Amino acid sequence: MLLISGTYVINTTILPALGYPSNQQAADEAEKFLVSSLSEIESFWLKGDGPFLLGGNQPSIADLSLVCELMQLEVLNEKYRYRLLGPYKKVQRWIKHTRYAISPHFGDVHKNLMNVKEKLKNKPLMEANHGGVSVSEQWWRARM
């Protein structure tokens, strides 16, 4: 799952908002992998009695690592975020439980992410130009 959320967010939100070309094929592939991964998290990793992965009663390093990956989806507009996360109620609850379990540190860790979200909130997305620029080059161009 590592880098998949980032690839999706960069190509659907960050690059278009900055006026850079995005890689729609990379975004589509990342979305397919995200949906498959969210389904697996929902059906396997969150089927225990506790609120955390494998039914744990406290967040593990696996919870923290995975939730940070999924938090990147916060910068998506509401429509995209709901389309991805909406069907996965257990995943949504797990994110919420993890957020509260490690507060206030969760907010500290995700402060920069929330700043990016706020900057993008009212910025209209430009139509993506699917030029011949590699995803890695697009990432470096888009860094703020």
Side-chain angles (χ1 to χ4, degrees):
M1 183 124 184
L2 186 61
L3 301 176
I4 298 301
S5 296
T7 299
Y8 183 77
V9 168
I10 287 167
N11 283 289
T12 61
T13 303
I14 304 289
L15 292 174
L18 296 174
Y20 291 109
S22 66
N23 183 331
Q24 189 61 45
Q25 180 180 352
D28 292 345
E29 289 172 13
E31 182 175 352
K32 286 178 190 172
F33 192 81
L34 267 170
V35 168
S36 173
S37 296
L38 288 166
S39 179
E40 186 173 330
I41 293 166
E42 179 101 354
S43 64
F44 180 79
W45 296 101
L46 293 174
K47 70 179 185 180
D49 292 334
F52 301 106
L53 296 177
L54 296 176
N57 290 318
Q58 295 181 20
S60 68
I61 192 71
D63 290 282
L64 302 178
S65 178
L66 187 54
V67 82
C68 285
E69 175 70 20
L70 292 178
M71 282 302 295
Q72 295 178 65
L73 300 176
E74 281 293 314
V75 302
L76 299 175
N77 72 33
E78 206 58 43
K79 176 180 146 187
Y80 285 117
R81 194 169 55 252
Y82 181 76
R83 187 167 58 85
L84 285 172
L85 291 173
Y88 305 102
K89 303 303 181 200
K90 287 182 183 179
V91 171
Q92 292 176 50
R93 281 192 304 272
W94 164 73
I95 291 170
K96 185 177 177 180
H97 286 296
T98 305
R99 179 185 303 233
Y100 290 127
I102 60 171
S103 288
H105 308 296
F106 191 91
D108 295 339
V109 168
H110 294 96
K111 183 178 179 182
N112 289 335
L113 180 71
M114 293 303 131
N115 288 339
V116 170
K117 178 181 178 175
E118 193 60 35
K119 286 180 183 179
L120 292 173
K121 188 176 183 179
N122 297 316
K123 186 173 183 131
L125 296 179
M126 301 173 83
E127 190 64 38
N129 175 2
H130 307 299
V133 181
S134 72
V135 172
S136 60
E137 185 177 342
Q138 292 171 2
W139 165 247
W140 287 110
R141 285 184 184 179
R143 288 181 50 153
M144 294 182 178

